[in-house]
Amino acid sequence: MHRRTLFATIAVIAAVVAVACGGGGGSKANNNAAASGTTAADAPTTLRLGYFPNVTHATAVAGVEKGIFADTLKPDKLEVQTFNAGPAAVEALFSDAIDATYIGPNPAINAFVQSKGEAIRIISGATSGGAALVVKPAITKAADLKGKKIASPQLGNTQDVALRYWLDSQGIKTTKEGGGDASIVPQENAQTLETFKAGTIDAAWVPEPWATRLVQEGGGKVLVDEKTLWPGGNFVTTHLIVRTKFLKEHPASVKRLLEAQVAANAFVNDHPDEARTLTNQGIEKITGKKLAQPVIDAAWANLTFTDDPIASSLKESAAHAEKVGLLAKVDLAGIYDLGPLNAVLKSKGQKEVAGS
């Protein structure tokens, strides 16, 4: 699924400045609106949506494959772009290459902080759960990880923060450079599967479907299911963010996007077998290889698809990153704009969600 870093490049920061100053986006729709006599907010536009070819982005993958997004967005047109990691999706938002994207929590924090709260807003949840610490069978407790090598997807990404914070809570200190009581080795998830099989790492904190693959293909076992660390087992894995400028200029389009999000999640929850098939179909189209059926079945069972962005977990995750020295103290006030989502939910007789 896909996930995410706390650190932006200088190029991205420069792009943020351009976005915050009002550059890019909306001019074609504005011109068309002026010519037709409609307002820019009502004029049809092209909504450019990003997502990852991951099971944790099943709402987007299955929703696109089923045609839910294209149909619900009409009269707007849908363009999709896929990414393999949060930093690339954030850079695309900052450079006005996309308007909205499904993404993990820490890249959203990064985008908000680097743009001084200007560039993006979180407008909906999508997925909760689906991350775990998988270890070699001989490891039975936290203390056994001392002196071991543990992989995470990327320095400062969502699972990396969770791993470092959990180790710290167990009295195991780590450093960003890979030192300390245990050595954390950031690497791509596909590489982690190979190094775990080869025995050059002893454990990994990874999202689905990689946690399941480490168990099924690598002979590992789950030592910590991350949902056991959160109240009610709920924490944000994937949510939907939008460029603030697009949100202001095209509220009707964002409303239709949220109607599509809610419809896609309803489909995923009401028709899990078809949704799994479509998700795997979408993953194969994008990556050229689908997941083995036992993998996607097991990974799916570890996920909850919800429109609730579980805001409390995002803020707690930021606090965890601060605690382990990966993030300066930040003010996330204003990162959520859930009014449009709650209007959609209310119209369908569903419970509204909170941004705190």
Side-chain angles (χ1 to χ4, degrees):
M1 229 206 334
H2 58 30
R3 310 218 224 172
R4 357 289 218 217
T5 184
L6 290 169
F7 305 103
T9 62
I10 293 175
V12 173
I13 296 172
V16 177
V17 173
V19 172
C21 292
S27 58
K28 183 177 180 181
N30 289 342
N31 292 339
N32 289 343
S36 65
T38 63
T39 66
D42 296 329
T45 188
T46 297
L47 191 148
R48 302 161 299 171
L49 180 66
Y51 61 93
F52 302 178
N54 295 332
V55 67
T56 52
H57 286 227
T59 303
V61 181
V64 168
E65 289 296 306
K66 185 71 174 176
I68 293 172
F69 284 90
D71 290 343
T72 309
L73 279 167
K74 291 176 180 176
D76 296 330
K77 293 182 179 179
L78 173 69
E79 288 183 3
V80 299
Q81 187 171 343
T82 59
F83 302 92
N84 290 319
V90 168
E91 187 166 357
L93 275 169
F94 285 167
S95 62
D96 191 22
I98 58 174
D99 304 304
T101 188
Y102 286 86
I103 201 166
N106 283 356
I109 292 172
N110 181 53
F112 186 78
V113 171
Q114 293 296 335
S115 66
K116 295 179 169 49
E118 295 293 329
I120 66 99
R121 294 292 183 267
I122 300 170
I123 58 171
S124 178
T127 311
S128 169
L133 174 61
V134 181
V135 300
K136 293 292 186 180
I139 296 172
T140 61
K141 57 186 182 298
D144 294 339
L145 292 168
K146 289 186 175 181
K148 299 291 195 292
K149 287 186 177 180
I150 312 168
S152 72
Q154 193 171 30
L155 176 64
N157 100 311
T158 306
Q159 289 78 46
D160 185 72
V161 170
L163 169 60
R164 293 174 189 274
Y165 184 79
W166 181 80
L167 288 172
D168 184 74
S169 74
Q170 302 298 311
I172 301 174
K173 304 301 181 182
T174 62
T175 70
K176 289 184 287 187
E177 297 73 27
D181 300 325
S183 177
I184 297 179
V185 185
Q187 55 188 27
E188 293 290 332
N189 292 323
Q191 182 184 0
T192 291
L193 178 59
E194 298 308 312
T195 53
F196 190 80
K197 287 179 179 178
T200 55
I201 62 168
D202 306 284
W205 198 299
V206 288
E208 292 291 7
W210 298 99
T212 293
R213 293 190 68 179
L214 287 175
V215 172
Q216 292 189 1
E217 301 171 36
K221 68 176 185 181
V222 173
L223 183 66
V224 180
D225 184 336
E226 189 172 343
K227 69 182 180 183
T228 64
L229 306 178
W230 293 96
N234 299 316
F235 64 99
V236 60
T237 301
T238 307
H239 49 206
L240 178 59
I241 67 174
V242 66
R243 286 192 299 117
T244 308
K245 191 171 188 293
F246 188 87
L247 175 63
K248 291 178 178 177
E249 293 185 349
H250 301 284
S253 299
V254 172
K255 178 177 180 289
R256 288 189 284 271
L257 172 62
L258 288 166
E259 288 172 342
Q261 151 64 33
V262 171
N265 253 2
F267 167 71
V268 167
N269 284 315
D270 294 344
H271 305 279
D273 292 341
E274 183 182 0
R276 274 196 302 272
T277 298
L278 288 174
T279 298
N280 221 0
Q281 174 181 299
I283 290 172
E284 184 177 21
K285 282 183 181 179
I286 297 163
T287 67
K289 187 176 182 180
K290 65 180 180 181
L291 296 171
Q293 198 61 45
V295 170
I296 194 169
D297 288 346
W300 198 274
N302 293 325
L303 298 168
T304 300
F305 300 100
T306 175
D307 302 313
D308 189 342
I310 317 173
S312 59
S313 71
L314 179 79
K315 294 172 182 178
E316 189 67 20
S317 181
H320 293 175
E322 293 170 21
K323 177 68 168 60
V324 297
L326 293 178
L327 184 67
K329 188 171 182 59
V330 296
D331 181 2
L332 298 180
I335 194 171
Y336 290 98
D337 189 342
L338 300 177
L341 172 64
N342 280 329
V344 171
L345 294 174
K346 185 176 181 180
S347 72
K348 298 180 180 299
Q350 297 182 31
K351 183 180 178 180
E352 296 181 22
V353 300
S356 59

